[in-house]
Coordinates of all heavy atoms in Angstrom, one line a residue:
S297 N -7.3 15.3 -13.8 CA -6.5 15.1 -15.0 C -5.5 14.0 -14.9 O -4.4 14.2 -14.3 CB -5.8 16.4 -15.4 OG -5.1 16.3 -16.6
I298 N -5.9 12.8 -15.4 CA -5.1 11.6 -15.3 C -4.9 11.0 -16.6 O -5.9 10.7 -17.3 CB -5.7 10.7 -14.3 CG1 -5.7 11.3 -12.9 CG2 -4.8 9.4 -14.2 CD1 -6.5 10.5 -11.9
F299 N -3.7 10.7 -17.0 CA -3.5 10.0 -18.3 C -3.4 8.5 -18.0 O -4.1 7.7 -18.7 CB -2.2 10.5 -18.9 CG -1.8 9.7 -20.2 CD1 -2.5 9.9 -21.3 CD2 -0.8 8.8 -20.2 CE1 -2.2 9.2 -22.5 CE2 -0.5 8.1 -21.3 CZ -1.2 8.3 -22.5
S300 N -2.7 8.1 -17.0 CA -2.6 6.7 -16.6 C -2.1 6.6 -15.2 O -1.4 7.5 -14.7 CB -1.6 5.9 -17.5 OG -0.3 6.4 -17.5
I301 N -2.4 5.6 -14.5 CA -2.0 5.3 -13.2 C -1.1 4.1 -13.1 O -1.4 3.0 -13.7 CB -3.2 5.1 -12.2 CG1 -4.1 6.3 -12.2 CG2 -2.7 4.7 -10.8 CD1 -5.3 6.2 -11.3
N302 N 0.1 4.2 -12.5 CA 1.0 3.1 -12.4 C 0.6 2.3 -11.2 O 0.0 1.2 -11.3 CB 2.4 3.7 -12.3 CG 3.5 2.6 -12.2 OD1 3.2 1.4 -12.6 ND2 4.6 2.9 -11.7
T303 N 1.0 2.7 -10.0 CA 0.7 2.0 -8.8 C -0.2 2.8 -7.9 O -0.2 4.0 -8.0 CB 2.0 1.6 -8.0 OG1 2.7 2.8 -7.7 CG2 2.9 0.7 -8.9
M304 N -1.0 2.1 -7.1 CA -1.7 2.7 -6.0 C -1.6 1.9 -4.8 O -1.3 0.7 -4.9 CB -3.2 2.8 -6.4 CG -3.5 3.7 -7.6 SD -5.3 4.0 -7.8 CE -5.7 5.1 -6.4
G305 N -1.7 2.5 -3.7 CA -1.6 1.8 -2.4 C -1.8 2.6 -1.2 O -2.3 3.7 -1.3
W306 N -1.5 2.0 -0.1 CA -1.7 2.6 1.2 C -0.4 2.6 2.0 O 0.3 1.6 2.1 CB -2.8 1.9 2.0 CG -4.2 2.1 1.4 CD1 -4.8 1.3 0.4 CD2 -5.1 3.1 1.7 NE1 -6.0 1.8 0.1 CE2 -6.2 2.9 0.9 CE3 -5.1 4.2 2.5 CZ2 -7.3 3.8 0.9 CZ3 -6.2 5.1 2.6 CH2 -7.3 4.8 1.8
Y307 N -0.2 3.7 2.7 CA 0.9 3.8 3.7 C 0.2 4.2 5.1 O -0.9 4.7 5.1 CB 1.9 4.8 3.4 CG 2.8 4.4 2.2 CD1 2.3 4.2 0.9 CD2 4.2 4.1 2.5 CE1 3.2 3.9 -0.1 CE2 5.0 3.8 1.4 CZ 4.5 3.6 0.1 OH 5.3 3.2 -0.9
R308 N 0.9 4.0 6.1 CA 0.3 4.4 7.4 C 1.4 5.0 8.3 O 2.6 4.7 8.1 CB -0.3 3.2 8.2 CG 0.6 2.1 8.6 CD -0.2 1.0 9.2 NE 0.7 -0.1 9.6 CZ 0.2 -1.3 10.0 NH1 -1.1 -1.6 10.0 NH2 1.1 -2.3 10.4
Q309 N 1.0 5.9 9.2 CA 2.0 6.6 10.0 C 1.4 6.9 11.4 O 0.2 7.2 11.5 CB 2.3 8.0 9.3 CG 3.4 8.8 10.0 CD 3.8 10.0 9.2 OE1 3.1 10.3 8.2 NE2 4.8 10.7 9.6
T310 N 2.3 6.8 12.4 CA 1.9 7.2 13.7 C 2.9 8.2 14.2 O 3.9 8.5 13.5 CB 2.0 6.0 14.7 OG1 3.3 5.5 14.8 CG2 1.1 4.8 14.2
T311 N 2.7 8.8 15.4 CA 3.7 9.8 15.9 C 5.0 9.1 16.3 O 6.0 9.8 16.3 CB 3.1 10.5 17.1 OG1 2.7 9.5 18.1 CG2 1.8 11.3 16.7
E312 N 5.0 7.8 16.5 CA 6.2 7.1 16.9 C 7.0 6.5 15.8 O 8.2 6.2 16.0 CB 5.8 6.0 17.9 CG 5.3 6.5 19.3 CD 3.8 6.9 19.2 OE1 3.1 6.3 18.3 OE2 3.4 7.7 20.0
K313 N 6.4 6.3 14.6 CA 7.0 5.7 13.5 C 6.9 6.5 12.3 O 6.0 7.3 12.1 CB 6.4 4.3 13.3 CG 6.5 3.3 14.4 CD 5.7 2.0 14.1 CE 6.3 1.3 13.0 NZ 5.6 0.0 12.8
Q314 N 7.9 6.3 11.4 CA 7.8 6.9 10.1 C 6.7 6.3 9.2 O 6.3 5.2 9.5 CB 9.2 6.8 9.4 CG 10.3 7.5 10.0 CD 11.6 7.4 9.3 OE1 11.6 6.9 8.1 NE2 12.7 7.9 9.9
R315 N 6.3 7.0 8.2 CA 5.4 6.5 7.3 C 5.9 5.2 6.7 O 7.0 5.1 6.2 CB 5.0 7.5 6.2 CG 3.8 7.1 5.4 CD 3.4 8.2 4.4 NE 3.0 9.4 5.2 CZ 2.5 10.5 4.6 NH1 2.3 10.6 3.3 NH2 2.2 11.6 5.3
E316 N 5.1 4.1 6.7 CA 5.5 2.8 6.2 C 4.5 2.3 5.2 O 3.3 2.5 5.3 CB 5.7 1.9 7.4 CG 4.4 1.5 8.1 CD 4.6 0.5 9.2 OE1 5.7 0.0 9.4 OE2 3.6 0.2 9.9
L317 N 5.0 1.4 4.4 CA 4.2 0.8 3.4 C 3.3 -0.2 4.0 O 3.7 -1.0 4.9 CB 5.1 0.0 2.4 CG 4.4 -0.9 1.4 CD1 3.6 -0.1 0.4 CD2 5.3 -1.8 0.7
V318 N 2.0 -0.2 3.7 CA 1.0 -1.2 4.0 C 0.8 -2.1 2.9 O 1.0 -3.4 3.0 CB -0.3 -0.6 4.5 CG1 -1.3 -1.7 4.8 CG2 -0.1 0.4 5.6
A319 N 0.5 -1.6 1.7 CA 0.2 -2.5 0.6 C 0.2 -1.6 -0.7 O -0.2 -0.4 -0.6 CB -1.1 -3.2 0.7
V320 N 0.8 -2.1 -1.8 CA 0.7 -1.4 -3.0 C 0.3 -2.4 -4.1 O 0.5 -3.6 -4.0 CB 2.1 -0.8 -3.4 CG1 2.4 0.4 -2.5 CG2 3.2 -1.8 -3.5
I321 N -0.3 -1.9 -5.2 CA -0.7 -2.8 -6.3 C -0.4 -2.1 -7.6 O -0.6 -0.9 -7.7 CB -2.3 -3.0 -6.1 CG1 -2.7 -4.1 -7.2 CG2 -3.1 -1.8 -6.2 CD1 -4.1 -4.6 -6.9
S322 N 0.1 -2.9 -8.5 CA 0.4 -2.4 -9.8 C -0.8 -2.3 -10.7 O -1.9 -2.8 -10.4 CB 1.5 -3.2 -10.5 OG 1.0 -4.5 -10.8
S323 N -0.6 -1.7 -11.9 CA -1.7 -1.6 -12.8 C -2.1 -3.0 -13.3 O -3.3 -3.2 -13.7 CB -1.3 -0.8 -14.1 OG -0.2 -1.3 -14.7
G324 N -1.2 -4.0 -13.3 CA -1.5 -5.3 -13.6 C -2.1 -6.2 -12.5 O -2.4 -7.4 -12.8
G325 N -2.2 -5.7 -11.3 CA -2.8 -6.4 -10.2 C -1.8 -7.1 -9.3 O -2.2 -7.8 -8.4
N326 N -0.5 -6.9 -9.5 CA 0.5 -7.5 -8.6 C 0.5 -6.7 -7.3 O 0.5 -5.4 -7.3 CB 1.9 -7.5 -9.2 CG 2.0 -8.4 -10.4 OD1 1.4 -9.5 -10.5 ND2 2.7 -7.9 -11.5
T327 N 0.6 -7.4 -6.2 CA 0.5 -6.7 -4.9 C 1.7 -7.0 -4.1 O 2.5 -8.0 -4.3 CB -0.7 -7.2 -4.1 OG1 -0.7 -8.6 -4.0 CG2 -2.0 -6.8 -4.8
N328 N 2.0 -6.0 -3.2 CA 3.1 -6.2 -2.2 C 2.6 -5.7 -0.9 O 2.0 -4.6 -0.8 CB 4.3 -5.3 -2.7 CG 5.5 -5.5 -1.8 OD1 5.7 -6.6 -1.2 ND2 6.4 -4.5 -1.7
Y329 N 2.7 -6.5 0.2 CA 2.2 -6.2 1.5 C 3.3 -6.2 2.5 O 4.3 -6.9 2.4 CB 1.2 -7.3 2.0 CG 0.0 -7.4 1.1 CD1 -0.1 -8.3 0.1 CD2 -1.2 -6.7 1.4 CE1 -1.3 -8.5 -0.7 CE2 -2.3 -6.8 0.7 CZ -2.4 -7.7 -0.4 OH -3.5 -7.8 -1.1
A330 N 3.1 -5.3 3.5 CA 4.0 -5.4 4.7 C 3.8 -6.7 5.4 O 2.7 -7.2 5.4 CB 3.7 -4.2 5.6
D331 N 4.9 -7.2 5.9 CA 4.8 -8.5 6.6 C 3.8 -8.5 7.7 O 3.1 -9.5 8.0 CB 6.2 -8.9 7.2 CG 7.1 -9.3 6.1 OD1 6.7 -9.7 5.0 OD2 8.3 -9.4 6.4
S332 N 3.6 -7.4 8.4 CA 2.7 -7.3 9.5 C 1.3 -7.4 9.2 O 0.4 -7.7 10.1 CB 3.0 -6.0 10.3 OG 2.7 -4.9 9.4
V333 N 0.9 -7.2 7.9 CA -0.5 -7.3 7.5 C -0.8 -8.4 6.6 O -2.0 -8.7 6.2 CB -0.9 -6.0 6.9 CG1 -0.6 -4.8 7.7 CG2 -0.3 -5.8 5.5
K334 N 0.2 -9.2 6.2 CA -0.1 -10.3 5.3 C -1.0 -11.3 5.9 O -0.9 -11.7 7.1 CB 1.3 -11.0 4.9 CG 2.1 -10.2 4.0 CD 3.4 -11.0 3.6 CE 4.3 -10.2 2.7 NZ 5.6 -10.9 2.4
G335 N -2.0 -11.8 5.1 CA -3.0 -12.7 5.6 C -4.2 -12.0 6.2 O -5.2 -12.7 6.4
R336 N -4.1 -10.8 6.5 CA -5.2 -10.0 7.2 C -5.7 -9.0 6.3 O -7.0 -8.7 6.3 CB -4.7 -9.4 8.5 CG -4.2 -10.4 9.5 CD -4.0 -9.8 10.9 NE -2.9 -8.8 10.8 CZ -3.1 -7.5 11.1 NH1 -4.3 -7.0 11.5 NH2 -2.1 -6.6 11.0
F337 N -4.9 -8.3 5.5 CA -5.3 -7.2 4.6 C -5.3 -7.7 3.2 O -4.4 -8.5 2.8 CB -4.4 -6.0 4.8 CG -4.5 -5.3 6.1 CD1 -5.2 -5.8 7.2 CD2 -3.8 -4.1 6.2 CE1 -5.2 -5.1 8.4 CE2 -3.8 -3.4 7.4 CZ -4.5 -3.9 8.5
T338 N -6.2 -7.2 2.4 CA -6.3 -7.5 1.0 C -6.5 -6.2 0.2 O -7.4 -5.4 0.5 CB -7.4 -8.4 0.6 OG1 -7.2 -9.7 1.4 CG2 -7.4 -8.8 -0.9
L339 N -5.6 -5.9 -0.7 CA -5.6 -4.8 -1.6 C -6.1 -5.1 -3.0 O -5.6 -6.1 -3.6 CB -4.3 -4.1 -1.7 CG -4.2 -2.8 -2.5 CD1 -4.9 -1.7 -1.8 CD2 -2.7 -2.4 -2.7
S340 N -7.1 -4.4 -3.4 CA -7.7 -4.7 -4.8 C -7.8 -3.3 -5.5 O -7.7 -2.3 -4.9 CB -9.0 -5.4 -4.7 OG -10.0 -4.6 -4.0
R341 N -8.0 -3.5 -6.8 CA -8.0 -2.3 -7.7 C -9.0 -2.4 -8.7 O -9.2 -3.4 -9.4 CB -6.6 -2.1 -8.3 CG -6.4 -1.0 -9.2 CD -4.9 -0.8 -9.6 NE -4.6 0.3 -10.5 CZ -3.4 0.7 -10.8 NH1 -2.4 0.2 -10.2 NH2 -3.3 1.7 -11.7

């Protein structure tokens, strides 16, 4: 049951680190990446 989706994305977590943002994308296609993955990861929707 979904009316609309705003943002979708990915986070990651290890036992040593808190859950951190990997990449998110807005409904309009704007993306935001963690510095550690820029140039290597691509998020699409």
Side-chain angles (χ1 to χ4, degrees):
S297 180
I298 299 172
F299 178 74
S300 64
I301 298 179
N302 182 20
T303 59
M304 296 187 72
W306 291 91
Y307 288 68
R308 65 188 181 188
Q309 185 173 9
T310 68
T311 55
E312 292 80 25
K313 300 175 64 177
Q314 296 183 7
R315 189 172 300 186
E316 65 177 359
L317 171 72
V318 178
V320 294
I321 187 168
S322 71
S323 60
N326 295 321
T327 53
N328 186 28
Y329 297 93
D331 288 341
S332 59
V333 307
K334 287 181 179 178
R336 300 187 298 118
F337 291 9
T338 302
L339 184 65
S340 60
R341 177 171 179 168

